[in-house]
Amino acid sequence: MSTTALLCEPRRATLLSKASDYLELTKPRIGVLVLVTVAVGAFIGRCCMPDGWLLFHTLVGTAFVAASASAFNQWWERQSDRLMARTALRPLPDGRLSALEVVCFGMATIVLGALYLTYWVNGLTALLGLLTWFIYAWVYTPLKTRTPANTFVGAISGALPVLMGWAAVGASFNLQIVGLKAAALFLIVFFWQFPHFMAIAWIYRQQYAAAGMQMLPVVDPSGRRAGAQALTTALMLLPVSLVPAYLHVAGLAYALGAVALGLIYIVSSYSFLIRPDEISSRRLLRVSLVYLPSLLLLMMLTAIG
């Protein structure tokens, strides 16, 4: 191996590790879920497969916005992340990225994402992206150390991306049937998040408590309030999930699948309520991770144009 190659090798490894740290900063798994909901919103808003290039540009712009939101979320929580085993090895608390690097990355990606969506998609989609970013990074994240109501705020930011997809294809937000479809999509993603969040918060309640996070299982260690919230929202989710079938957005197969998935979600939430423990919380978490992509996929596969 040449001397030049030997000198270049450490530099290459450093660049790769740095790129990996920035990728981790974007929370890729959450980002993928966000992009899925955007795609579903675009598909249902268009009543069929949207223009390929328009969808591509929408997803690229949204990815930049989501990356910025995750970066600022971790910048806000850099101190508390050091106190939790599940987050201590993130790039910022572990010292692999500096606070300045994270802020610069977050500013660059939100500006790029907003401009990209405005130019290649439309202004309304960009505005919804900025609203999602602001609520998640600057309202929800600081509230996590102040009140358990942070989950409600976080669920709003988590559900807004589906409306970004809706807006991207120019679908209407009026209060008639078309607007009700958009509202149903929003509420499905909104209500889904509560059992999902309560399961996570229970599993990591001790770490959240040590970091000063005011999650519901922290302020109520019995788990009753977390279980009640999970069950209540799972019950509310079932009729909301049937609205697309009622409005003829999706067919009978979707309705049957929505009922089956909803009942499983309700039973898992009820099990968590009556016995909040490691088994019931992890079961609820697994069910939540299956529920949403399965429901959205069913909706798209049985969509009625």
Side-chain angles (χ1 to χ4, degrees), residues 16 33 45 90 101 127 140 162 171 188-189 255 262 279 304:
L16 287 174
L33 183 58
R90 284 176 174 175
E101 287 176 311
L127 184 61
Y140 162 67
V162 76
I188 286 171
V189 181
I279 294 175
I304 300 174

mmCIF file of all heavy atoms in Angstrom, residues 16 33 45 90 101 127 140 162 171 188-189 255 262 279 304:
data_model
loop_
_atom_site.group_PDB
_atom_site.id
_atom_site.type_symbol
_atom_site.label_atom_id
_atom_site.label_comp_id
_atom_site.label_asym_id
_atom_site.label_seq_id
_atom_site.Cartn_x
_atom_site.Cartn_y
_atom_site.Cartn_z
ATOM 1 N N LEU A 16 -16.378 9.176 7.308
ATOM 2 C CA LEU A 16 -17.460 8.206 7.353
ATOM 3 C C LEU A 16 -18.137 8.200 8.721
ATOM 4 O O LEU A 16 -19.366 8.141 8.826
ATOM 5 C CB LEU A 16 -16.926 6.813 7.018
ATOM 6 C CG LEU A 16 -16.557 6.562 5.551
ATOM 7 C CD1 LEU A 16 -15.903 5.199 5.392
ATOM 8 C CD2 LEU A 16 -17.803 6.661 4.670
ATOM 9 N N LEU A 33 -40.957 6.899 9.143
ATOM 10 C CA LEU A 33 -42.385 6.897 9.456
ATOM 11 C C LEU A 33 -43.037 8.205 9.019
ATOM 12 O O LEU A 33 -44.162 8.214 8.497
ATOM 13 C CB LEU A 33 -42.600 6.669 10.951
ATOM 14 C CG LEU A 33 -44.057 6.566 11.419
ATOM 15 C CD1 LEU A 33 -44.779 5.438 10.693
ATOM 16 C CD2 LEU A 33 -44.114 6.355 12.931
ATOM 17 N N GLY A 45 -55.046 12.039 -0.956
ATOM 18 C CA GLY A 45 -55.477 13.343 -1.440
ATOM 19 C C GLY A 45 -55.641 13.375 -2.942
ATOM 20 O O GLY A 45 -56.510 14.070 -3.477
ATOM 21 N N ARG A 90 -25.930 8.929 21.995
ATOM 22 C CA ARG A 90 -26.233 9.762 20.837
ATOM 23 C C ARG A 90 -25.024 10.664 20.547
ATOM 24 O O ARG A 90 -24.228 10.946 21.443
ATOM 25 C CB ARG A 90 -27.477 10.608 21.098
ATOM 26 C CG ARG A 90 -28.776 9.816 20.990
ATOM 27 C CD ARG A 90 -29.967 10.682 21.351
ATOM 28 N NE ARG A 90 -31.237 9.977 21.114
ATOM 29 C CZ ARG A 90 -32.436 10.462 21.431
ATOM 30 N NH1 ARG A 90 -32.529 11.662 22.009
ATOM 31 N NH2 ARG A 90 -33.524 9.768 21.171
ATOM 32 N N GLU A 101 -22.148 22.354 16.045
ATOM 33 C CA GLU A 101 -22.334 21.563 14.825
ATOM 34 C C GLU A 101 -23.796 21.158 14.660
ATOM 35 O O GLU A 101 -24.349 21.206 13.554
ATOM 36 C CB GLU A 101 -21.451 20.309 14.873
ATOM 37 C CG GLU A 101 -19.973 20.584 14.669
ATOM 38 C CD GLU A 101 -19.138 19.326 14.820
ATOM 39 O OE1 GLU A 101 -19.327 18.603 15.818
ATOM 40 O OE2 GLU A 101 -18.288 19.072 13.947
ATOM 41 N N LEU A 127 -45.287 25.661 4.508
ATOM 42 C CA LEU A 127 -45.799 26.264 5.739
ATOM 43 C C LEU A 127 -46.167 25.196 6.767
ATOM 44 O O LEU A 127 -45.856 25.333 7.959
ATOM 45 C CB LEU A 127 -47.020 27.130 5.418
ATOM 46 C CG LEU A 127 -47.636 27.916 6.590
ATOM 47 C CD1 LEU A 127 -46.614 28.893 7.160
ATOM 48 C CD2 LEU A 127 -48.887 28.658 6.134
ATOM 49 N N TYR A 140 -43.030 21.124 21.857
ATOM 50 C CA TYR A 140 -43.087 19.789 22.447
ATOM 51 C C TYR A 140 -41.822 19.453 23.245
ATOM 52 O O TYR A 140 -41.889 19.022 24.414
ATOM 53 C CB TYR A 140 -43.307 18.751 21.350
ATOM 54 C CG TYR A 140 -42.966 17.331 21.739
ATOM 55 C CD1 TYR A 140 -43.724 16.654 22.695
ATOM 56 C CD2 TYR A 140 -41.897 16.668 21.147
ATOM 57 C CE1 TYR A 140 -43.414 15.344 23.050
ATOM 58 C CE2 TYR A 140 -41.582 15.368 21.491
ATOM 59 C CZ TYR A 140 -42.338 14.710 22.443
ATOM 60 O OH TYR A 140 -42.014 13.422 22.790
ATOM 61 N N VAL A 162 -48.986 14.141 7.597
ATOM 62 C CA VAL A 162 -49.950 13.562 6.659
ATOM 63 C C VAL A 162 -50.679 14.666 5.891
ATOM 64 O O VAL A 162 -51.048 14.494 4.717
ATOM 65 C CB VAL A 162 -50.947 12.634 7.395
ATOM 66 C CG1 VAL A 162 -52.003 13.421 8.167
ATOM 67 C CG2 VAL A 162 -51.619 11.674 6.418
ATOM 68 N N ALA A 171 -54.833 18.942 -2.776
ATOM 69 C CA ALA A 171 -56.157 18.533 -2.310
ATOM 70 C C ALA A 171 -56.753 19.617 -1.404
ATOM 71 O O ALA A 171 -56.037 20.361 -0.746
ATOM 72 C CB ALA A 171 -56.072 17.212 -1.548
ATOM 73 N N ILE A 188 -56.350 9.857 12.690
ATOM 74 C CA ILE A 188 -55.849 8.478 12.789
ATOM 75 C C ILE A 188 -54.413 8.493 13.327
ATOM 76 O O ILE A 188 -54.085 7.772 14.276
ATOM 77 C CB ILE A 188 -55.910 7.775 11.418
ATOM 78 C CG1 ILE A 188 -57.365 7.407 11.072
ATOM 79 C CG2 ILE A 188 -55.035 6.509 11.414
ATOM 80 C CD1 ILE A 188 -57.548 6.898 9.655
ATOM 81 N N VAL A 189 -53.563 9.303 12.711
ATOM 82 C CA VAL A 189 -52.171 9.369 13.155
ATOM 83 C C VAL A 189 -52.089 9.993 14.549
ATOM 84 O O VAL A 189 -51.272 9.572 15.379
ATOM 85 C CB VAL A 189 -51.319 10.164 12.146
ATOM 86 C CG1 VAL A 189 -49.862 10.199 12.598
ATOM 87 C CG2 VAL A 189 -51.424 9.561 10.753
ATOM 88 N N ALA A 255 -62.194 -1.606 5.716
ATOM 89 C CA ALA A 255 -63.039 -1.494 6.905
ATOM 90 C C ALA A 255 -62.879 -2.709 7.807
ATOM 91 O O ALA A 255 -62.747 -2.577 9.031
ATOM 92 C CB ALA A 255 -64.508 -1.326 6.488
ATOM 93 N N GLY A 262 -57.971 -2.431 14.992
ATOM 94 C CA GLY A 262 -58.411 -1.589 16.099
ATOM 95 C C GLY A 262 -58.716 -2.389 17.352
ATOM 96 O O GLY A 262 -58.380 -1.967 18.465
ATOM 97 N N ILE A 279 -44.175 -6.795 30.377
ATOM 98 C CA ILE A 279 -44.757 -7.622 29.318
ATOM 99 C C ILE A 279 -45.849 -6.871 28.578
ATOM 100 O O ILE A 279 -45.853 -6.803 27.341
ATOM 101 C CB ILE A 279 -45.311 -8.936 29.907
ATOM 102 C CG1 ILE A 279 -44.159 -9.782 30.460
ATOM 103 C CG2 ILE A 279 -46.078 -9.717 28.837
ATOM 104 C CD1 ILE A 279 -44.614 -11.046 31.175
ATOM 105 N N ILE A 304 -60.336 3.934 -3.214
ATOM 106 C CA ILE A 304 -61.350 4.065 -4.253
ATOM 107 C C ILE A 304 -61.167 5.409 -4.932
ATOM 108 O O ILE A 304 -61.248 6.456 -4.278
ATOM 109 C CB ILE A 304 -62.775 3.959 -3.666
ATOM 110 C CG1 ILE A 304 -62.959 2.601 -2.998
ATOM 111 C CG2 ILE A 304 -63.820 4.172 -4.771
ATOM 112 C CD1 ILE A 304 -64.267 2.464 -2.270
#
